[in-house]
Amino acid sequence: MPPEGYTSVTISDSLATKLTRIMADHECSSDAAAIEYAVDTTLLQEEKITIQELSHLLAERAEEIDESRLQ
């Protein structure tokens, strides 16, 4: 959280890239909306997910790892 009175924070380039991807994939209108979406999604994942959803998440993560290795 930024100190009182401030409205911005500094994030890493890799996190900014992830937020941009969330914005594009889920049609979020701002970084704040992307952050809210990510937080809400994480909280929902505490509930049971299907094998299909888990497989999809694992495939996305594997793809991210492969892409980061190529850079």
Side-chain angles (χ1 to χ4, degrees):
M1 299 276 311
E4 190 173 327
Y6 289 84
T7 58
S8 64
V9 294
T10 301
I11 60 173
S12 67
D13 289 342
S14 63
L15 181 55
T17 301
K18 290 176 184 177
L19 284 175
T20 301
R21 182 175 172 194
I22 290 171
M23 288 178 70
D25 290 350
H26 303 284
E27 299 178 3
C28 298
S29 59
S30 66
D31 288 341
I35 292 167
E36 184 175 357
Y37 177 86
V39 170
D40 289 347
T41 301
T42 301
L43 291 175
L44 289 175
Q45 287 181 6
E46 291 178 4
E47 299 175 12
K48 292 183 180 181
I49 61 173
T50 66
I51 292 172
Q52 183 181 18
E53 292 169 324
L54 179 59
S55 298
H56 181 71
L57 290 171
L58 290 172
E60 283 186 344
R61 182 64 181 135
E63 190 174 85
E64 290 173 5
I65 290 169
D66 286 344
E67 289 174 2
S68 69
R69 288 181 181 165
L70 294 174
Q71 295 178 357

